[in-house]
């Protein structure tokens, strides 16, 4: 029997620790709920729910203001931004630049007047401060270490991707992802429709897969299953931080980016509280909080350091304005499908 005493004591210790942990967790929860909520704001957003839930929980814990996040799709957000102002309930919207511009067009938003907005670059905000960008996700090249060491360090620009060579590229199907399709729209905005589409014709011989998910090209490059993946910086940094054998390259000739911003709805009845939320979203504190929780974006706050790639270079962003209509996007996607994706005379 004596030999079972150590096991019994260990089990008792574990159960005791579990009980203590449960007790303290419930105590903390009671303390949180005992503090009255000062205000409740309604926010419409098309961001991932795991991200918005984190933000809402953190804000309530700090300021005792409840943020009710109402998740909708990007397409639904575009429609919501066209509603009459009298039908537009809520306080804030957090969404893409294109949807925020729709809100401006349909007179949905009121000026954001808070400390810090003036310091944000003009490229990341509306001229009349009707919305302000909070972070963006640039398009990058993720190279497997093997390819980088072989020749990848010299394949560092969009124009070098289409040169003759034996490298294999994976990119996301533009029809499968609105964020990925932003690459196409940006190429067309920068180069015109004909040249923009022709670039992807020249790129196609190198493309071995059009992925369904935005993160797939980065993941397969990190796993060494392709030479180069075209994807978002946020996905790439996750693999870098987890020590995968992958290099992140910022295109030397500039790159598109996906801008997320916030706007205040005209119908808000909590203007002071909504303004405080915007100020908080722009803060260094939020950037650190998101990084600590595995979200790696580039922030519009100029007080935050600029990221560098595996070659030590800073980002060069294309001077695109966005503002593409839903009909215009569909026309471009249809042309990409017929002229590039399923074109039979190029492999």
């Amino acid at each position: 029997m004596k030999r079972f005493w150590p096991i019994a004591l260990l089990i008792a210790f574990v159960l005791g620790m579990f009980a203590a942990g449960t007790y303290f967790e419930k105590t903390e929860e009671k303390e949180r709920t005992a503090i009255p909520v000062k205000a409740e704001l309604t926010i419409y957003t098309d961001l991932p729910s795991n991200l918005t839930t984190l933000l809402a929980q953190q804000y309530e814990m700090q300021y005792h203001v409840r943020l009710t996040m109402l998740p909708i799709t990007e397409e639904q957000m575009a429609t919501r931004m066209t509603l009459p102002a009298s039908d537009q309930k809520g306080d804030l919207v957090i969404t893409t630049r294109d949807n925020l511009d729709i809100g401006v067009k349909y007179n949905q938003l009121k000026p954001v007047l808070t400390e810090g907005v003036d310091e944000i670059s003009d490229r990341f905000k509306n001229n009349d401060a009707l919305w302000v960008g909070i972070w963006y996700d640039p398009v990058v090249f993720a190279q497997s270490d093997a390819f980088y060491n072989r020749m990848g360090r010299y394949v560092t620009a969009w124009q070098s991707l289409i040169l003759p060579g034996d490298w294999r590229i994976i990119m996301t199907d533009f029809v499968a992802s609105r964020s990925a399709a932003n690459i196409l729209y940006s190429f067309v905005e920068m180069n015109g429709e004909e040249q923009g589409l022709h670039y992807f014709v020249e790129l196609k011989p190198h493309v071995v897969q059009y992925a369904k998910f935005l993160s797939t090209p980065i993941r397969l490059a990190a796993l060494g299953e392709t030479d180069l993946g075209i994807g978002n910086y946020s996905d790439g940094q996750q693999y870098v931080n987890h020590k995968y054998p992958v290099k992140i390259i910022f295109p030397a000739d500039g790159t598109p980016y996906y801008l997320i911003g916030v706007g205040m709805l005209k119908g808000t009845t909590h203007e002071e509280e909504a303004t405080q939320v915007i100020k908080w979203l722009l803060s260094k504190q939020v950037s650190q909080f998101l990084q600590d929780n595995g979200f790696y974006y580039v922030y519009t706050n100029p007080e935050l350091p600029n990221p560098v790639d595996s070659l030590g270079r800073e980002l060069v962003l294309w001077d695109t304005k966005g503002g593409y209509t839903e009909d215009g996007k569909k026309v471009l996607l249809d042309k990409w499908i017929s002229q590039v994706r399923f074109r039979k005379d190029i492999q």
Side-chain angles (χ1 to χ4, degrees):
M1 291 292 294
K2 290 184 178 179
R3 67 174 181 268
F4 293 110
W5 274 109
I7 297 175
L9 289 172
L10 177 62
I11 293 173
F13 175 76
V14 171
L15 291 175
M17 291 298 293
F18 177 77
T22 302
Y23 171 78
F24 286 119
E25 183 178 348
K26 289 183 177 180
T27 301
E28 288 179 2
E29 180 65 26
K30 287 181 180 179
E31 289 175 354
R32 286 197 297 268
T33 56
I35 301 174
V37 173
K38 297 177 182 177
E40 296 187 27
L41 302 183
T42 299
I43 301 176
Y44 291 95
T45 181
D46 47 29
L47 297 184
S49 59
N50 58 339
L51 170 57
T52 56
T53 298
L54 272 175
L55 289 172
Q57 290 174 345
Q58 182 72 4
Y59 195 78
E60 182 173 348
M61 184 173 67
Q62 284 187 241
Y63 298 101
H64 312 298
V65 172
R66 182 163 298 147
L67 305 182
T68 299
M69 299 286 188
L70 298 182
I72 57 179
T73 67
E74 196 171 336
E75 294 89 341
Q76 290 170 332
M77 182 70 81
T79 300
R80 172 163 284 280
M81 289 290 92
T82 66
L83 294 176
S86 58
D87 296 337
Q88 189 66 271
K89 308 300 181 184
D91 302 288
L92 295 167
V93 290
I94 303 176
T95 184
T96 63
R97 172 170 58 183
D98 283 358
N99 281 338
L100 290 165
D101 280 338
I102 293 173
V104 172
K105 178 180 178 181
Y106 285 88
N107 200 29
Q108 299 286 348
L109 307 175
K110 63 194 309 180
V112 177
L113 304 175
T114 184
E115 180 184 352
V117 172
D118 288 346
E119 283 72 39
I120 303 296
S121 169
D122 289 344
R123 75 189 307 163
F124 299 133
K125 64 186 178 186
N126 172 263
N127 290 336
D128 298 315
L130 294 173
W131 59 261
V132 59
I134 46 182
W135 63 68
Y136 59 96
D137 208 358
V139 180
V140 300
F141 305 153
Q143 297 184 2
S144 69
D145 272 4
F147 176 64
Y148 176 84
N149 292 331
R150 177 164 57 92
M151 67 172 68
R153 69 190 69 194
Y154 309 110
V155 184
T156 63
W158 291 103
Q159 289 305 312
S160 59
L161 288 190
I162 60 178
L163 296 174
D166 62 353
W167 48 85
R168 301 163 300 149
I169 296 173
I170 294 178
M171 60 189 298
T172 305
D173 190 321
F174 293 152
V175 177
S177 166
R178 291 175 69 91
S179 180
N182 186 60
I183 300 173
L184 172 63
Y185 310 143
S186 297
F187 264 88
V188 169
E189 184 177 346
M190 290 292 291
N191 303 291
E193 183 177 311
E194 183 177 352
Q195 288 187 350
L197 285 166
H198 184 67
Y199 176 84
F200 295 102
V201 172
E202 294 184 285
L203 183 66
K204 188 175 181 181
H206 289 291
V207 178
V208 296
Q209 181 183 341
Y210 291 98
K212 291 183 179 180
F213 302 103
L214 187 61
S215 60
T216 299
I218 302 288
R219 177 174 61 84
L220 294 181
L223 294 174
E225 296 183 22
T226 190
D227 295 321
L228 187 147
I230 298 174
N232 283 349
Y233 172 80
S234 60
D235 292 320
Q237 278 304 113
Q238 288 192 17
Y239 286 97
V240 169
N241 287 353
H242 285 88
K243 309 302 181 184
Y244 278 77
V246 64
K247 296 292 188 292
I248 301 303
I249 303 298
F250 296 161
D253 42 3
T255 196
Y257 61 98
Y258 206 61
L259 180 64
I260 297 296
V262 58
M264 188 186 306
L265 291 169
K266 275 195 167 181
T268 181
T269 57
H270 304 93
E271 184 170 347
E272 182 178 347
E273 291 86 354
T275 300
Q276 179 62 37
V277 172
I278 295 173
K279 182 178 179 181
W280 181 74
L281 288 170
L282 292 169
S283 69
K284 296 179 182 179
Q285 178 187 358
V286 168
S287 68
Q288 188 61 57
F289 173 70
L290 290 183
Q291 289 180 48
D292 291 343
N293 284 276
F295 294 95
Y296 303 100
Y297 300 112
V298 186
Y299 297 89
T300 60
N301 184 341
E303 295 180 353
L304 294 167
N306 293 323
V308 294
D309 68 2
S310 296
L311 293 168
R313 302 174 309 171
E314 292 190 358
L315 276 163
V316 177
L317 299 178
W318 284 351
D319 188 20
T320 50
K321 306 298 182 186
Y324 322 110
T325 66
E326 292 300 307
D327 288 341
K329 291 177 180 179
K330 185 178 185 305
V331 168
L332 284 177
L333 285 174
D334 287 344
K335 289 183 178 181
W336 177 77
I337 291 170
S338 61
Q339 297 180 26
V340 182
R341 179 73 169 87
F342 295 111
R343 185 170 168 178
K344 300 301 183 182
D345 60 330
I346 52 175
Q347 297 297 327

